[in-house]
Amino acid sequence: MKRATRGMTLVVLAAVLTACGGEPASRANGDSMEGHESKAPLLLSAEQVRVALPSNGHLPEGWVSGGWSSKPEAEEGAKAAKECAGDTQTNCAGLTAYGHRSVATKENAESTGKGAPVWFHVYSFDTTENAGVAFKGLVTNKRKQASKGGSTPAPLTISAGADETDAFSEDISGEYGVEVMMRVGGVVVYLKGYDQRKPDNLHGLAQLQIDRIKKTAEGKNPDA
């Protein structure tokens, strides 16, 4: 009788341990927790967002500081929420900071005689889940806007080491635009290029931004 009771106790104890993390469980949405449980999510503070944005002295060849905002800046609170809501068409739950800056092509663009600018928009959230919702909203909104322009967006392949990526280019009556949207951990990145006749040129900027975000999250100096 004692032996049977001891066996039942061990079965109950094993079940409790399994429920508490003894074996990988499944999230309610079906996403396995394997690989997530011991890995800290990538999250950035407002100051880290500013540092992670490309600095003027470390831009890829062919790019210079330029456009409307030629230095990295970070915002919090209502201003950050307004910018995020406009881009993602979501309520931006969990938003902690918004960073931005612009760069331009070194050579003058043929169509305008001015440097073709690219805007960096970086949105940081308190959880990966909140960032994922914003990313999906960003992709849906930007593709919807592109379809209203009367042209069919051309797929653009960007491999920058992000967790999620969506990118396309478009030509509307000689106006060339490029949209690159990425998510890495709890950070959403949106690159908007104007008058970009060579869409693939944004590949280097995308790689640079994701690399700087990862280094900053690890406590490293992204300029080193």
Side-chain angles (χ1 to χ4, degrees):
M1 187 70 174
K2 290 182 179 180
R3 184 175 300 172
T5 302
R6 185 181 302 170
M8 292 178 63
T9 301
L10 290 174
V11 170
V12 173
L13 180 59
V16 172
L17 288 173
T18 298
C20 294
E23 294 291 340
S26 295
R27 294 182 178 182
N29 62 7
D31 179 25
S32 171
M33 292 183 67
E34 185 175 0
H36 296 278
E37 60 271 36
S38 61
K39 185 179 180 181
L42 189 157
L43 308 173
L44 299 181
S45 66
E47 175 59 16
Q48 287 177 313
V49 167
R50 186 190 67 79
V51 171
L53 286 162
S55 56
N56 290 339
H58 292 78
L59 295 175
E61 184 178 356
W63 297 95
V64 296
S65 173
W68 301 284
S69 179
S70 57
K71 66 178 182 179
E73 298 182 17
E75 312 284 354
E76 297 178 272
K79 187 172 184 179
K82 180 180 179 180
E83 294 292 339
C84 179
D87 272 341
T88 69
Q89 293 297 293
T90 70
N91 62 12
C92 293
L95 179 71
T96 58
Y98 160 60
H100 59 90
R101 75 151 302 169
S102 59
V103 298
T105 51
K106 193 171 185 178
E107 297 180 357
N108 288 342
E110 294 179 8
S111 63
T112 64
K114 300 179 181 179
V118 174
W119 267 96
F120 286 80
H121 302 271
V122 176
Y123 296 102
S124 183
F125 293 83
D126 59 351
T127 67
T128 297
E129 287 76 14
N130 281 334
V133 171
F135 173 78
K136 289 181 176 62
L138 175 66
V139 171
T140 299
N141 182 41
K142 296 308 175 184
R143 284 195 168 274
K144 182 178 180 180
Q145 289 179 352
S147 65
K148 289 181 178 179
S151 70
T152 301
L156 182 61
T157 300
I158 297 290
S159 299
D163 297 323
E164 294 184 276
T165 302
D166 190 275
F168 61 88
S169 62
E170 56 183 335
D171 176 6
I172 304 176
S173 301
E175 294 291 331
Y176 298 85
V178 181
E179 313 261 355
V180 180
M181 296 148 283
M182 303 176 289
R183 181 190 64 79
V184 54
V187 181
V188 174
V189 176
Y190 170 46
L191 302 184
K192 170 64 176 179
Y194 297 89
D195 202 28
Q196 297 296 322
R197 293 174 177 270
K198 298 179 180 179
D200 288 339
N201 286 350
L202 265 71
H203 196 109
L205 294 180
Q207 288 181 319
L208 174 68
Q209 184 59 89
I210 295 299
D211 181 63
R212 290 181 66 90
I213 287 173
K214 290 180 178 179
K215 286 182 177 178
T216 302
E218 294 171 358
K220 299 177 181 178
N221 184 343
D223 286 335

